[in-house]
Amino acid sequence: MQTTAVVIGAGHVGLAMSRRLSERSIDHIVLERGQVANSWRTQRWPSLRLLTPNWQTRLPGHHYAGDDPDGFMPVADVVATITSYARLVGAPVRTATTVHAVRAVACGFQIHAGDALLHARAVVLATGGCTQPAIPAVAEAVPPPVTTLTPFAYRGPGQLPDGGVLVVGGSATGVQLAGEIRRSGRPVTLAAGEHVRLPRTYRGRDIFWWLQATGLLAERYDQIDDLTRARHLPSPQLTGTATATMTDLNALAAQGARIVGRLGRIVGGVAQFSGSLANICALADLKMNRFLNRADEWATAAGLDDDLPPPHRFPPTRVDPRSPLELDLTSGEITTVLWATGFRPDHSWLDIPVRDRTGHIRHDGGVVTDAPGLYLLGLPVLRTRASTYIHGAATDTQALAGHLHSFLGRRH
Ligand SMILES: Cc1cc2nc3c(=O)[nH]c(=O)nc-3n(C[C@H](O)[C@H](O)[C@H](O)COP(=O)(O)OP(=O)(O)OC[C@H]3O[C@@H](n4cnc5c(N)ncnc54)[C@H](O)[C@@H]3O)c2cc1C
């Protein structure tokens, strides 16, 4: 079968791209291994809520129209939003069609999808930036019978064996799951490495209002000094709830969780934690305050100081000097290790030599320059800092659909 463009993945990004291609009358299909919004249906834990507010959950041609713009969507609502978006844009989705291989051939690309072989002049990879949990190599050294699991498999505290839980990772996933497990009454230890600390609200506004208003989310990839670092920044310590201003390490410690440093090694069943927790926390505090300074400066320049509550600062992260540097995982104290160590994309089926030394696809804002006609979407800070979030798909797909359109024009 022949088509002009193939979009792989029917998450919100692939669907937004489908809309952009339709706007330009570019013949295409969207291939999806599961159902529309498959990641949200199959890879998210039940209690998850978006940490971005509802008003910000917008896509090209779609704005939130519910009665709770300042709320945070549960997973079921995200699935419903993306599913109705697919209908709205009339995306030509083929569900239950897994792409097994994409190869470059004369005049385009060959795509092995399900049992079929397709040919297209352009291919858009929209298979997601969080397709697999990123689990550190140290996981192999966790001694049995400690249970290990990832956020993909986590359903709630009730599924865990009795006993203590070591949550590895202090970003959004880690603090959310550690909080939920602690509230169920279990002893929780959280190993925190580098993290991004932000308040849920500041001066009466949601932090995402500030991130947008100050222009931070709109910063372009080609204007960011250390782009590699920006693309690997951990998600902020936020939870989709307006009831708590902070869901950070202080909040967890106040709930009775024990905070330790980054998990470095496990030797002979003994987990060893970094001694730099205090430094890591001081750095996170510094960066949070730097952003709050930027927010205050912006508010003053915008003449909003009289309309907003006055500036203030949050107490620094408290680090318990008695926080252990080692934990014997064979003692029975810890029965579960939960890897909240991030997520990564999976493009293993892409059979085109476009990867760098680290295995990442080389691209310029989503344009895979080594393979003309190949595009990449849905990765953090792809074209702006907003690319990490749902609403960032609007500008990313606009730019890449424009490029793809010109590419087709150049060829014929
Ligand atoms: C835990 C978590 C919380 C998040 N919270 C927020 C939030 O609060 N706010 C926010 O804005 N963003 C949030 N995000 C980030 C972002 O919105 C998601 O990563 C989003 O799912 C990315 O959209 P996508 O369309 O690029 O990828 P996905 O939604 O992952 O869609 C990719 C699609 O491609 C399909 N696919 C993959 N491989 C193949 C293949 N080989 N063949 C065919 N189909 C394939 C998948 O089945 C999937 O349906 C969160 C992400 C995670 C992981």
Side-chain angles (χ1 to χ4, degrees), residues 7-15 30-40 42-45 48-53 56-57 72-73 78 82 94 96-101 112-113 125-131 151-152 172-173 176 200 208 235 240 342-343 346-347 349 377-379 386-393:
V7 177
I8 309 174
H12 76 272
V13 169
L15 299 169
V30 182
L31 303 175
E32 167 55 53
R33 65 180 172 183
Q35 299 177 62
V36 166
N38 191 50
S39 303
W40 295 98
T42 62
Q43 297 180 335
R44 308 286 188 259
W45 58 95
L48 177 71
R49 283 178 178 266
L50 289 189
L51 48 77
T52 41
Q56 207 169 32
T57 302
F72 303 91
M73 274 186 206
V78 182
I82 298 175
R94 284 197 193 173
T97 306
T98 301
V99 171
H100 302 293
H112 290 253
L125 311 176
T127 46
C130 304
T131 322
F152 279 16
T173 303
Q176 287 175 24
R200 179 72 270 175
F208 274 92
S235 53
F343 305 95
D346 175 20
H347 298 119
W349 36 268
L377 276 167
L379 299 188
S387 304
T388 310
Y389 301 103
I390 289 173
H391 72 280

Side-chain angles (χ1 to χ4, degrees), residues 133-142 147-152 166-169 173-174 177 263 266 337-343:
I135 303 170
V138 67
E140 285 173 16
V142 173
T147 299
T148 61
L149 84 166
T150 72
F152 279 16
L166 171 62
V167 177
V168 184
T173 303
L177 299 188
L263 174 62
I266 300 175
V337 174
L338 177 50
W339 302 106
T341 36
F343 305 95

Side-chain angles (χ1 to χ4, degrees), residues 237-322:
Q237 289 175 334
L238 292 171
T239 302
T241 167
T243 53
T245 302
M246 282 288 195
T247 47
D248 59 355
L249 300 183
N250 281 355
L252 278 174
Q255 278 180 254
R258 174 171 57 179
I259 313 297
V260 296
R262 184 175 189 277
L263 174 62
R265 302 196 303 164
I266 300 175
V267 181
V270 177
Q272 300 177 347
F273 305 108
S274 163
S276 64
L277 180 62
N279 289 344
I280 294 280
C281 291
L283 189 65
D285 290 353
L286 184 84
K287 288 186 175 170
M288 174 178 70
N289 288 333
R290 202 180 286 160
F291 176 69
L292 298 182
N293 291 343
R294 175 173 171 171
D296 290 336
E297 283 160 21
W298 175 85
T300 302
L304 287 176
D305 278 331
D306 291 341
D307 301 331
L308 296 168
H312 65 94
R313 292 294 173 263
F314 297 89
T317 308
R318 286 182 298 278
V319 175
D320 187 344
R322 296 159 304 168

Side-chain angles (χ1 to χ4, degrees), residues 21 23 32 36 65 76 85 96 133 138 147 157 169-170 195 210 228 232 259 284-285 300 360 364 367 380 396 412:
L21 297 178
E23 281 168 354
E32 167 55 53
V36 166
Y85 185 69
V138 67
T147 299
H195 54 269
W210 288 104
T228 305
H232 290 92
I259 313 297
D285 290 353
T300 302
H360 295 102
D364 181 7
V367 179
D396 293 357
H412 290 267

